[in-house]
Amino acid sequence: MMAECFYTLSLIFILFVCSSSSTCPEHCLCYSASEGPSVRCINQGFNTIPVIPPSTVVLDLRFNSIQRIGEDDLQGLTNLKTLLLNGNNISHIEPGAFTGLGNLKYLYLKDNFLKSLNSETFFGLSSLNQLYLHNNKIEYIGSRTFQDLGALESLLLERNPLHCTCDLLWLSRFLRKLKQINSTKKSTCSTPSHLEHRTLVSLTPEDLNCSEPKFIKIPLDIVISFRPPSRAYFYCQASGHPTPTITWLKNRVQLDTDEHYVILDDGTLEIHQPGKDDEATYHCLARNSAGQKVSGARLMYYEEEVAPKFIDTPEDTQVVEGNAVMLKCSSQGIPNPTITWSRNSHRLTPSRRIRILKSGALQISEARRRDHGQYTCRAQNKVGYITRSARLVIK
């Protein structure tokens, strides 16, 4: 019986080797299984990944001494669906090591010595369904590590010395979205001490002392004409923990910085020699691991300058004390005119009760006796200014 089994296995082995475009690695078993052509090289003392037949669907390299996965080690294995590398000494995965493995569904990397993961680690694994990373030495996982794994349903990370800070908050959110969320419930923090054994899926911003970005300065519209300044500036600053990063978008597309577009250390966007081609909507994106905020403004370019012209003007008005009242005023011009208001020749300062609306109108929420007087709307741009007055009577 034993002889018969041995003969059958030997025949399968020979058939696979003969049908492969390259020979079976020495000390490995190559055979055709229900999944497809398979190569098994278990516990053979390999220090590197051997040359594997390109038709291989299942590759089993468990319990060897492989220390790294090189950029070319898995090249050409486009049919590979299952890769078992657990129980090795892998401490480094070169960027692009999995490029070309678009059919890989199951990747086993447990029981190794990986310390960190980043956006290039798993690049190219668009079909990966299950990823096993438990019992490594992983302390850090970059926020874009799993960005290419659109098909991922199960991720095992338990028994790793993960340091849980705000930089890991994204991972908690990512794990909660996985289809097989039960596979993530054993993944826990190792440090800091007050979060030891805390499950990653249960972490909140408050646990990690994180705060989402909050704008300190936001960009404002810029108007330039055929006589533009040498530089134009969109200001943007934000606070938060961790400190937010600032990126800029032009018409919703991330802006590439160069000699023309420069992002200063404080987040300000500087545009050198602005012109017609720079006319667009610019968005400042402030982002950290706790969240993100966006604020936008426009750069408008005009071939000519036009003096202000009124569209709406204030009219004499009577109002009962305590009631709200609005005096209309709007204008157009190139550049867009700025509207200010004065009462009895004294410039008005907006307050909780008195506001200048975006349209230019003046709104008084609760009219008082002292609001009685003559109100003047002034519309001004670099070409000139115009004014229009009306009287407000409080009864």
Side-chain angles (χ1 to χ4, degrees), residues 302-372:
Y302 295 104
E303 298 290 351
E304 59 178 337
E305 297 174 342
V306 178
K309 178 181 178 181
F310 281 123
I311 301 172
D312 279 318
T313 57
E315 297 179 353
D316 292 344
T317 304
Q318 295 184 7
V319 64
V320 176
E321 184 178 10
N323 287 349
V325 63
M326 181 184 296
L327 298 175
K328 292 182 178 181
C329 187
S330 62
S331 66
Q332 63 184 15
I334 302 175
N336 286 334
T338 300
I339 289 182
T340 57
W341 283 87
S342 60
R343 185 182 72 240
N344 299 331
S345 300
H346 297 288
R347 184 165 177 172
L348 284 174
T349 302
S351 64
R352 182 186 62 81
R353 195 174 62 87
I354 299 176
R355 297 171 54 213
I356 299 177
L357 303 183
K358 191 173 183 180
S359 65
L362 180 70
Q363 183 182 64
I364 302 175
S365 59
E366 297 176 9
R368 298 174 183 174
R369 293 285 182 183
R370 65 173 180 268
D371 296 325
H372 181 94

Side-chain angles (χ1 to χ4, degrees), residues 201-386:
V201 292
S202 68
L203 291 175
T204 66
E206 293 73 26
D207 294 328
L208 302 172
N209 192 29
C210 306
S211 60
E212 64 181 16
K214 181 178 180 181
F215 281 120
I216 301 171
K217 289 184 179 180
I218 60 172
L220 301 175
D221 290 347
I222 297 174
V223 178
I224 59 175
S225 64
F226 63 95
R227 292 191 296 245
S230 60
R231 286 174 173 80
Y233 296 93
F234 283 114
Y235 298 99
C236 186
Q237 292 181 25
S239 62
H241 183 70
T243 301
T245 59
I246 299 292
T247 53
W248 283 90
L249 297 87
K250 179 182 179 182
N251 291 336
R252 301 287 181 179
V253 178
Q254 184 164 338
L255 197 61
D256 293 326
T257 57
D258 51 26
E259 293 181 355
H260 185 63
Y261 295 111
V262 179
I263 300 178
L264 305 182
D265 291 340
D266 65 354
T268 298
L269 175 63
E270 181 182 75
I271 304 175
H272 288 207
Q273 301 297 329
K276 181 66 176 176
D277 291 342
D278 298 309
E279 188 171 40
T281 299
Y282 294 81
H283 284 91
C284 171
L285 173 62
R287 177 167 46 196
N288 66 11
S289 52
Q292 65 180 40
K293 289 288 173 60
V294 179
S295 183
R298 294 183 301 159
L299 187 149
M300 294 165 282
Y301 180 87
Y302 295 104
E303 298 290 351
E304 59 178 337
E305 297 174 342
V306 178
K309 178 181 178 181
F310 281 123
I311 301 172
D312 279 318
T313 57
E315 297 179 353
D316 292 344
T317 304
Q318 295 184 7
V319 64
V320 176
E321 184 178 10
N323 287 349
V325 63
M326 181 184 296
L327 298 175
K328 292 182 178 181
C329 187
S330 62
S331 66
Q332 63 184 15
I334 302 175
N336 286 334
T338 300
I339 289 182
T340 57
W341 283 87
S342 60
R343 185 182 72 240
N344 299 331
S345 300
H346 297 288
R347 184 165 177 172
L348 284 174
T349 302
S351 64
R352 182 186 62 81
R353 195 174 62 87
I354 299 176
R355 297 171 54 213
I356 299 177
L357 303 183
K358 191 173 183 180
S359 65
L362 180 70
Q363 183 182 64
I364 302 175
S365 59
E366 297 176 9
R368 298 174 183 174
R369 293 285 182 183
R370 65 173 180 268
D371 296 325
H372 181 94
Q374 180 170 284
Y375 287 77
T376 300
C377 171
R378 177 186 176 109
Q380 180 174 2
N381 65 12
K382 62 171 62 179
V383 181
Y385 70 89
I386 52 177

